[in-house]
Amino acid sequence: MEAYVTLTVENKVGFIEFFHPNKNAMPSDVLSKLEQTIVDAGHDDAIKVIVLKSGGDRTFCAGASFNELIAIENETMGKTFFLGFANVINAMRKCPKIIIGRIQGKTGGGGVGLAATTDYCLATKYASIRLSELSIGIGPFVIEPSVSRKIGVTAMSQMTIDAETYFSTTFAKEKGLYSEVFETTEALDVAVKTLAEKLASYNPNALKEIKKVFWEGTEKWDDLLSKRAEISGKLVLSEFTKNTLKRYK
């Protein structure tokens, strides 16, 4: 199957789904399409609430595309790639619609950033999380503000330092990343649909205003995440990172 990003509308709920055959890893083109789709859904009057989900039954998002990371040849290319994640995060936080996350399986790196940037996140018991960036010679610089805002600096630091461990859904729920955890994907989908349609019946102006309140204090993130992308873009050129990525390829 080929990568895609789709938007479907049902009962005033916009379902944004992304997919990549490599464990839903995120190359630049998918990130760009995802950013634009979020912006479009935010401006669509037929949509009152957004659900962010990924295709497939297993991994929600494996994070950055290692194949694309290996191909980065200079700092400009590196910053441009990591700006892809920054742009999606900023699109999500500035979107005037509430975004519900539907996390059906394991998620790592940038995928944790996406989950953390949703306004309300539901998951299955299989949706463990990992921040592996330090182990490959970079770090979760771009997603850190969003992850720290959601689960706290202490938990983010623990995950960053213990970079090769998948943390359980119990950990993710206790730290506030997931609001609820379900036994099956079917139960997750029922809960997501029920919540989204309930929210879509509420006063849209109230939803818009409360979304602004949720994200107060993040007005400087456009500049902050750009600077963080520059850091990652430099580190990905290191001999350590290049050699490590080749082993994973």
Side-chain angles (χ1 to χ4, degrees), residues 142 149 168 172:
V142 170
R149 173 183 169 275
S168 69

Side-chain angles (χ1 to χ4, degrees), residues 80-118:
T80 298
F81 173 77
F82 287 103
L83 275 175
F85 280 100
N87 292 338
V88 171
I89 289 173
N90 281 322
M92 291 174 70
R93 72 174 179 87
K94 290 188 281 189
C95 178
K97 313 288 172 65
I98 297 293
I99 301 176
I100 299 170
R102 179 245 192 211
I103 316 299
Q104 80 279 19
K106 284 184 175 181
T107 188
V112 179
L114 295 182
T117 314
T118 62

Side-chain angles (χ1 to χ4, degrees), residues 132-147:
S132 60
E133 290 90 339
L134 209 59
S135 68
I136 62 172
I138 49 177
F141 296 102
V142 170
I143 65 171
E144 178 277 323
S146 206
V147 176

